[in-house]
Amino acid sequence: MRQGGGGGDGVSPGNVPVCYYGAGGRVSATLERRVRAAEVLLRCAACGLAVLAAALLGADRQSRTFFSIQKVARYTDMQSLVILVIASGMVACYSLLQGARCLVSIIRGGILLSRPLAWAIFSCDQVMAYVIIGAVAVAMEAALLGKTGEVEFQWMKTCELYQRFCTQAGGGVACAVAASATMVGVALVSAFNLFRLYGHGKGSSK
């Protein structure tokens, strides 16, 4: 951020402080603070929700006895849930690291001005958002089959046999859905942080 008097790109309108990005690109200090706060909150929320989703699914199990044979239902019995646990773990770790980076940047008062770094963050955010959304979509389809069954393929309604397992798994999937929504928000914020570096304001050369 730089302010000055005497015209040019360094002059703030009135008494409103202005942050400068790229060739004449301008973002108000108030908007900058709001964007940073939103990014930290979204990344922390994504981390917490992803951890909760992985914990609920990873600890989910229920045993039933059929004709003196005990059968234990675990998340590992469904490949889609295994993928969702892995994806949730990846999102949680990534969000934790990026959240720490954002906090350090706020404490130091730094501003993201490096276009290569902005592109790297934007790309990683996009990849993580797609990963968790894809895993959630697969898990929801499997959960629906477990709930309703499939008469044509003679697939049983397994949730009628393992109600507690399905209830906890549903909670884990719901947390993963919320985590995917927050990652979409994170991707939008990182897109804003990137493309504002290419903005042009008054006084920039064309």
Side-chain angles (χ1 to χ4, degrees), residues 129-202:
Y130 282 123
V131 165
I132 189 65
I133 289 173
V136 165
V138 173
M140 290 183 67
E141 181 180 5
L144 182 62
L145 289 175
K147 181 69 175 179
T148 62
E150 183 58 57
V151 178
E152 295 182 359
F153 294 98
Q154 297 183 349
W155 291 347
M156 299 176 58
K157 299 179 180 180
T158 54
C159 284
E160 293 183 354
L161 300 176
Y162 298 95
Q163 294 182 358
R164 184 173 59 80
F165 174 84
C166 288
T167 300
Q168 185 168 332
V173 173
C175 290
V177 171
S180 65
T182 57
M183 284 304 301
V184 171
V186 167
L188 292 175
V189 172
S190 64
F192 172 79
N193 288 333
L194 169 63
F195 293 114
R196 69 182 176 179
L197 298 179
Y198 294 88
H200 294 275
K202 295 179 181 180

Side-chain angles (χ1 to χ4, degrees), residues 44-169:
C44 290
C47 180
L49 289 168
V51 168
L52 185 57
L56 287 173
L57 293 173
D60 193 12
R61 64 183 59 195
Q62 181 181 1
S63 60
R64 289 288 304 271
T65 302
F66 302 96
F67 303 106
S68 71
I69 299 176
Q70 189 177 49
K71 173 63 177 177
V72 180
R74 301 182 179 88
Y75 82 96
T76 52
D77 296 331
M78 299 180 66
Q79 193 67 27
S80 59
L81 295 183
V82 174
I83 294 174
L84 184 56
V85 169
I86 295 174
S88 298
M90 292 172 60
V91 168
C93 293
Y94 175 76
S95 298
L96 180 62
L97 293 175
Q98 288 289 0
R101 177 192 61 80
C102 292
L103 286 176
V104 171
S105 177
I106 291 175
I107 293 172
R108 293 183 175 179
I111 298 175
L112 180 60
L113 294 176
S114 172
R115 290 183 180 181
L117 178 58
W119 270 110
I121 295 173
F122 170 75
S123 301
C124 291
D125 287 344
Q126 293 288 319
V127 169
M128 286 298 166
Y130 282 123
V131 165
I132 189 65
I133 289 173
V136 165
V138 173
M140 290 183 67
E141 181 180 5
L144 182 62
L145 289 175
K147 181 69 175 179
T148 62
E150 183 58 57
V151 178
E152 295 182 359
F153 294 98
Q154 297 183 349
W155 291 347
M156 299 176 58
K157 299 179 180 180
T158 54
C159 284
E160 293 183 354
L161 300 176
Y162 298 95
Q163 294 182 358
R164 184 173 59 80
F165 174 84
C166 288
T167 300
Q168 185 168 332

